[in-house]
Amino acid sequence: MHTHTDEGIRGTTILAVKKGNEIAVGGDGQVTLGNTIVKQKAQKVRLLYGKEIIGGFAGAVADAFMLFDMFEKKLAETQGNLSRACINFAKEWRGDKILRRLEAAMIEIGRAHV
């Protein structure tokens, strides 16, 4: 949900649903600039780390893409250990003066099946 009054480019909707051992992640693909839709087919859900991890984002689009790149590096550093990559990623994201100001939310789920 967009609560700021700035006119930045935003991608706002991501949803994850779990039923039993199955998880589905989806995004609306819409990117807005203020109240104007500037793109309707953005890829807000991606397969990462050799298609083993599924990730999705909501928030400022440029921020989210930068965070996806950072997270992919953490996955590589931890050889695909999702828990460890998430912890290391969160420490770096929240511990850095500039990074912690980024406006995005992410979800990462292991053992993705398309």
Side-chain angles (χ1 to χ4, degrees):
M1 180 175 200
H2 182 211
T3 59
H4 299 281
T5 58
D6 64 351
E7 292 293 312
I9 295 176
R10 307 199 59 89
T12 54
T13 305
I14 193 74
L15 176 70
V17 177
K18 180 178 179 183
K19 182 177 180 183
N21 291 330
E22 300 292 319
I23 299 172
V25 179
D28 66 355
Q30 185 169 291
V31 175
T32 58
L33 178 61
N35 292 326
T36 304
I37 298 169
V38 294
K39 186 170 186 174
Q40 292 184 336
K41 295 181 182 177
Q43 187 178 358
K44 293 183 185 180
V45 177
R46 289 186 184 182
L47 293 174
L48 309 169
Y49 197 74
K51 299 184 179 181
E52 291 181 30
I53 310 283
I54 189 166
F57 74 84
V61 175
D63 292 351
F65 284 128
M66 185 174 106
L67 292 170
F68 256 139
D69 290 342
M70 284 177 54
F71 184 72
E72 284 184 291
K73 288 177 187 168
K74 295 298 178 194
L75 278 172
E77 289 171 10
T78 61
Q79 299 174 344
N81 183 321
L82 182 58
S83 296
R84 192 174 210 184
C86 286
I87 290 166
N88 293 345
F89 173 69
K91 284 180 182 178
E92 186 172 340
W93 181 3
R94 294 301 176 202
D96 185 277
K97 250 183 181 179
I98 295 173
L99 293 177
R100 70 175 164 228
R101 295 176 187 247
L102 299 182
E103 297 182 25
M106 296 179 67
I107 185 169
E108 310 299 335
I109 300 167
R111 297 187 184 162
H113 299 282
V114 182

